[in-house]
């Protein structure tokens, strides 16, 4: 038996001095963020701008007056995003890499916040696996390498969910203010993403029932009301332009489409099935069942709305992908670290074919690549001083915007332009009706004719331009690049 004796203060060992050290337990978000940066940033400039990004380039490059004029006719709901890009382009330029970098940064921040959200709701392991899974998905690369608002909307959705969790747990006026700001950003970037609020409402109700306290209801309702009230003008303008942008006919998803929804959101058939299995395993955790409502309820709201309004498209649901990965991360966290990391590796390997495809083209897999750069390269190589150019530009390919972008100051004179598209307030340049008079002083005329965007069949020029060219010019040469015909006419 041993006795313990208290040492007198004169001989007691000195107390250890507190020292600062890096809190590695608070840096668990760093790994997913760095992985997202590496995967999404790789070959960022390789895919050429596609038609939606050309619209972004055209809109964000306009003056304040011209952008306001554009919003009166089309894309009013995207004006907040265009303003973000407008100021960004003033600093970073308009190269493909510069245009897409805000989306890359949004994906990186989403991976970090998702990791933090998972660690707050579940465990550090669940958060890390959720962030890693998100970082390697092909859809994250696809939308993270695109100059459109979907990646930023996913960031706002993740931030809003995290702010709601913090406000419910700790209260505080400023947490609710941050939540309101996140909801405002979410709606400003992507109005459809406000369907997430149905899931948030379920979280608030569950918290009230669990704690037998309804105190969070007033601040939550106030935050959502203020944010949505600020978005009313944007929603009204968007509603007025719905037919122009999306068409008049509702196109709700089919039952088969709903069953394959995760494949459509993740943009990978093999990964979609694996994510579905992981989500079902994640819901087995009782703590994750309320979180599952933040996915199921917005989806149900989207399906319901799409029966009367044409808003259904898988890319509009990208904002839910971080929360889907959160459920998958909960399932992965049930395994030891090595097995969970191996699972992330398997998901990454399954997505390699899709990653390779999206780094080559943002077009649909069933559509032929529209090779804007190839068309511009031909004109740049063969053009002569004094050349003119005409376009078929009544579709959505934006051939004139692309050729002007890739050729820059070397672009031939737009012979049929009656007014600039910026002044006209749209993406389509108004044309002169007197094509023969417009071409009277030209000896060489280029004609850029994109294929039909729906069928892929070759198009022809508008009849006035075609008649004038056939009458006064000889077709000297024709080139074919993917998605385009380029003709060179020489005066007889």
């Amino acid at each position: 038996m041993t006795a313990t004796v208290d040492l007198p203060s004169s001989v007691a060992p000195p107390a250890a001095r507190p020292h600062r050290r890096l809190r590695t337990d608070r840096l668990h978000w760093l790994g997913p963020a760095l992985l997202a940066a590496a995967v999404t940033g790789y070959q960022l400039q390789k895919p050429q701008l596609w038609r939606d990004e050309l619209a972004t380039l055209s809109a964000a490059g306009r003056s304040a007056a011209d952008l306001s004029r554009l919003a009166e006719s089309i894309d009013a709901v995207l004006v907040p995003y265009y303003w973000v890009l407008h100021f960004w382009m003033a600093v970073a330029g308009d190269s493909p890499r510069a245009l897409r970098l805000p989306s890359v940064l949004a994906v990186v921040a989403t991976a970090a916040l998702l990791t933090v959200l998972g660690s707050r709701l579940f465990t550090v392991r669940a958060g890390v696996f959720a962030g890693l899974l998100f970082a390697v998905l092909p859809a994250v690369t696809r939308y993270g390498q695109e100059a459109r608002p979907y990646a930023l909307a996913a960031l706002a959705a993740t931030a809003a969910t995290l702010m709601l969790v913090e406000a419910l747990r700790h209260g505080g006026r400023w947490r609710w203010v941050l939540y309101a700001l996140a909801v405002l950003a979410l709606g400003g970037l992507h109005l459809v993403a406000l369907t997430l609020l149905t899931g948030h409402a379920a979280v608030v109700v569950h918290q009230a029932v669990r704690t037998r306290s309804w105190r969070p209801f007033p601040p939550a309702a106030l935050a959502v009301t203020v944010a949505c009230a600020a978005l009313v003008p944007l929603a009204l303008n968007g509603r007025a332009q719905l037919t122009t942008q999306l068409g008049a006919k509702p196109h709700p998803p089919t039952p088969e489409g709903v069953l394959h929804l995760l494949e459509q959101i993740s943009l990978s058939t093999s990964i979609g099935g694996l994510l579905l299995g992981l989500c079902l395993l994640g819901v087995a955790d009782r703590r994750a069942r309320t979180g599952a409502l933040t996915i199921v309820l917005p989806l149900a709201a989207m399906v319901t709305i799409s029966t009367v309004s044409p808003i259904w498209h898988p890319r509009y649901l990208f904002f839910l992908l971080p929360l889907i990965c959160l459920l998958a991360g909960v399932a992965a966290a049930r395994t030891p670290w090595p097995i969970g990391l191996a699972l992330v590796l398997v998901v990454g390997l399954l997505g390699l074919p899709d990653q390779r495809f999206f780094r080559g083209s943002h077009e649909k897999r069933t559509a032929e690549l529209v090779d804007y750069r190839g068309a511009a390269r031909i004109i740049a190589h063969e053009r002569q001083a004094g050349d003119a150019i005409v376009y078929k530009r009544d579709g959505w390919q934006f051939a004139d915007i692309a050729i002007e972008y890739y050729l820059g100051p070397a672009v031939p004179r737009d012979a049929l332009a009656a007014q600039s598209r910026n002044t006209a307030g749209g993406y389509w340049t108004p044309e002169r009706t007197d094509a023969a008079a417009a071409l009277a002083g030209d000896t060489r005329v280029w004609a850029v004719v994109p294929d039909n965007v729906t069928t892929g069949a070759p198009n022809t020029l508008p009849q006035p331009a075609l008649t004038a060219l056939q009458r006064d010019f000889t077709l000297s040469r024709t080139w074919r690049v993917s998605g385009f015909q380029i003709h060179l006419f020489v005066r007889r």
Side-chain angles (χ1 to χ4, degrees):
M1 184 178 208
T2 59
T4 59
V5 180
D6 293 330
L7 296 175
S9 59
S10 57
V11 295
R17 291 184 178 181
H19 61 279
R20 293 180 177 270
R21 62 189 181 94
L22 189 64
R23 290 293 303 272
T24 56
D25 58 319
R26 293 183 180 177
L27 294 178
H28 53 278
W29 54 266
L30 189 57
L34 290 176
L35 182 61
V39 173
T40 312
Y42 177 62
Q43 294 183 331
L44 179 60
Q45 78 290 346
K46 183 179 179 181
Q48 60 180 295
L49 300 182
W50 78 299
R51 60 179 184 268
D52 281 13
E53 291 181 296
L54 291 170
T56 295
L57 171 72
S58 176
R62 305 185 187 204
S63 66
D66 290 339
L67 186 52
S68 298
R69 196 176 298 112
L70 174 72
E72 293 174 1
S73 60
I74 194 170
D75 272 359
V77 296
L78 293 175
V79 165
Y81 172 71
Y82 289 155
W83 273 116
V84 171
L85 263 290
H86 176 84
F87 292 110
W88 173 263
M89 287 167 60
V91 176
D94 63 355
S95 68
R97 181 182 284 109
L99 290 172
R100 292 163 174 164
L101 191 55
S103 295
V104 174
L105 296 176
V107 161
V108 173
T110 302
L113 290 184
L114 177 60
T115 305
V116 174
L117 176 63
S119 64
R120 299 284 172 84
L121 288 176
F122 305 104
T123 63
V124 169
R125 184 180 300 183
V128 170
F129 285 146
L132 293 176
L133 287 169
F134 177 78
V136 300
L137 292 181
V140 174
T141 294
R142 166 66 178 80
Y143 297 112
Q145 289 191 345
E146 182 182 46
R148 296 298 279 176
Y150 305 116
L152 280 75
L155 171 60
T158 308
T161 305
L162 178 59
M163 290 302 101
L164 177 64
V165 168
E166 291 297 295
L168 289 176
R169 285 189 169 186
H170 306 291
R173 181 181 305 170
W174 287 108
R175 290 187 178 90
W176 287 112
V177 170
L178 291 175
Y179 174 64
L181 291 174
V183 171
L184 179 63
L186 178 64
L189 291 165
H190 191 27
L191 274 174
V192 172
L194 287 178
T195 52
L196 178 67
L197 296 179
T198 59
H200 284 186
V203 172
V204 174
V205 171
H206 176 267
Q207 173 77 358
V209 172
R210 188 179 65 85
T211 60
R212 298 182 180 179
S213 171
W214 297 92
R215 292 181 61 184
F217 264 86
L222 179 62
V224 170
T225 301
V226 170
C228 291
L231 293 168
V232 167
L234 191 68
L236 292 177
N237 289 336
R239 176 63 183 172
Q241 297 174 1
L242 195 62
T243 302
T244 304
Q245 292 191 238
L246 301 178
K249 184 179 179 181
H251 46 281
T254 63
E256 182 182 0
V258 173
L259 288 176
H260 296 279
L261 197 56
L262 284 185
E263 297 176 12
Q264 299 177 52
I265 298 176
S266 64
L267 298 179
S268 173
T269 301
S270 55
I271 292 179
L274 181 57
L275 277 181
L276 178 60
L278 288 174
C279 288
L280 293 176
L281 290 175
V283 174
D285 188 325
R286 186 172 57 183
R287 297 173 299 172
R289 292 171 189 171
T290 305
L293 293 178
T294 61
I295 302 169
V296 175
L297 291 180
L299 286 177
M302 285 283 287
V303 171
T304 302
I305 297 172
S306 66
T307 59
V308 295
S309 182
I311 66 166
W312 180 267
H313 197 286
R315 67 171 175 260
Y316 295 166
L317 300 171
F318 178 70
F319 72 95
L320 292 176
L321 193 56
L323 300 178
I324 293 170
C325 290
L326 182 58
L327 283 184
V330 172
R334 293 183 169 186
T335 66
W337 279 103
I339 296 178
L341 293 174
L343 178 63
V344 173
L345 180 61
V346 168
V347 172
L349 292 175
L350 288 174
L352 281 179
D354 303 291
Q355 294 276 3
R356 190 178 300 111
F357 175 84
F358 292 126
R359 282 179 170 79
S361 171
H362 285 340
E363 302 284 351
K364 296 179 181 178
R365 294 180 182 276
T366 56
E368 186 179 23
L369 167 69
V370 181
D371 189 4
Y372 297 106
R373 281 190 301 220
R377 192 179 301 117
I378 289 171
I379 298 173
H381 185 263
E382 301 289 339
R383 71 178 293 274
Q384 295 179 11
D387 284 359
I389 192 169
V390 297
Y391 304 92
K392 176 174 176 54
R393 49 184 158 203
D394 56 351
W396 292 91
Q397 290 97 328
F398 304 136
D400 50 347
I401 298 175
I403 297 299
E404 291 167 10
Y405 173 71
Y406 284 113
L407 289 182
V411 67
R413 179 183 69 89
D414 192 340
L416 298 183
Q419 187 184 27
S420 75
R421 69 179 72 91
N422 292 2
T423 304
Y427 293 119
W428 298 272
T429 301
E431 292 191 342
R432 296 175 56 174
T433 55
D434 53 342
L439 299 170
D442 298 305
T443 57
R444 285 168 38 107
V445 179
W446 292 92
V448 179
V449 185
D451 296 341
N452 185 288
V453 71
T454 303
T455 65
N459 275 323
T460 59
L461 284 169
Q463 196 59 46
L466 184 61
T467 300
L469 288 170
Q470 289 176 340
R471 186 187 66 188
D472 300 327
F473 293 81
T474 299
L475 178 60
S476 173
R477 191 174 175 187
T478 294
W479 292 263
R480 173 72 192 180
V481 298
S482 182
F484 270 109
Q485 296 176 80
I486 303 98
H487 308 290
L488 176 59
F489 291 88
V490 179
R491 186 171 290 278
R492 294 171 191 251

